[in-house]
Amino acid sequence: MKTALLALTISACTPAPAASPVHVHDGDTLTVGGTRWRLHGVDAFELAQTCGNEPCGLYARDHLNEAVAGKAVVCTVTGKPSYGRQVGRCMSDGVDIAAEQVGAGWALDWAQYSGGAYRPLESNARYDRLGAWQWGFEAPWEWRRTHRPGPHPR
């Protein structure tokens, strides 16, 4: 019993690992510890994009900011770099950030890259009219095609 109490006391006094500085650029791009990351398998609304009359691109960025604020964020490479960004899976205190964005309705499953991994979360968000699903919108990849001449990093 004394050993269990000692272990509990020591673990309670052990500081949490320091989180790397995180900067959110938009709903699917963030910088962690000096490396810029693009979330693998999802596509969030562009900063300038609106859904109905709502600035859903800004809302997507803000939601990602909330998801990582003050938390330990760890990213692992899952694909080839894109526009100077690493492509990967990022976890915020053990939670898949891309899944969080899709599940909250602020990003879409990009099946050609995810293999449909986030499709169930997207279906739930659509059914529950979460995030951008409460308004009409154009998929981010379609919006970029009609609003940006040529390929551009985000």
Side-chain angles (χ1 to χ4, degrees), residues 46-60 62 106 135:
E46 295 295 325
L47 288 175
Q49 188 172 356
T50 57
C51 299
N53 292 320
E54 298 295 325
C56 57
L58 296 177
Y59 295 162
D62 294 347
W106 296 119
W135 313 291

Side-chain angles (χ1 to χ4, degrees), residues 40-151:
H40 173 81
V42 302
D43 200 8
F45 303 97
E46 295 295 325
L47 288 175
Q49 188 172 356
T50 57
C51 299
N53 292 320
E54 298 295 325
C56 57
L58 296 177
Y59 295 162
R61 180 202 58 200
D62 294 347
H63 187 266
L64 181 54
N65 237 340
E66 290 171 16
V68 301
K71 297 178 183 168
V73 176
V74 177
C75 299
T76 54
V77 174
T78 60
K80 296 178 182 176
S82 171
Y83 298 112
R85 303 166 296 181
Q86 290 293 335
V87 175
R89 183 172 185 210
C90 296
M91 308 291 282
S92 175
D93 282 352
V95 176
D96 181 347
I97 299 170
E100 173 66 25
Q101 287 292 89
V102 174
W106 296 119
L108 302 179
D109 176 55
W110 206 349
Q112 75 182 67
Y113 298 105
S114 75
Y118 299 107
R119 187 170 292 141
L121 292 169
E122 181 181 302
S123 294
N124 290 341
R126 179 180 9 201
Y127 179 81
D128 292 336
R129 298 182 57 82
L130 299 176
W133 291 104
Q134 59 194 301
W135 313 291
F137 63 81
E138 189 173 17
W141 52 85
E142 294 295 333
W143 188 90
R144 282 191 301 277
R145 188 173 300 139
T146 59
H147 289 82
R148 288 188 172 168

Side-chain angles (χ1 to χ4, degrees), residues 11-38:
S11 66
C13 295
T14 304
S20 295
V22 178
H23 173 74
V24 171
H25 301 277
D26 60 26
D28 55 25
T29 307
L30 63 162
T31 296
V32 180
T35 301
R36 193 170 174 129
W37 292 91
R38 167 71 164 81

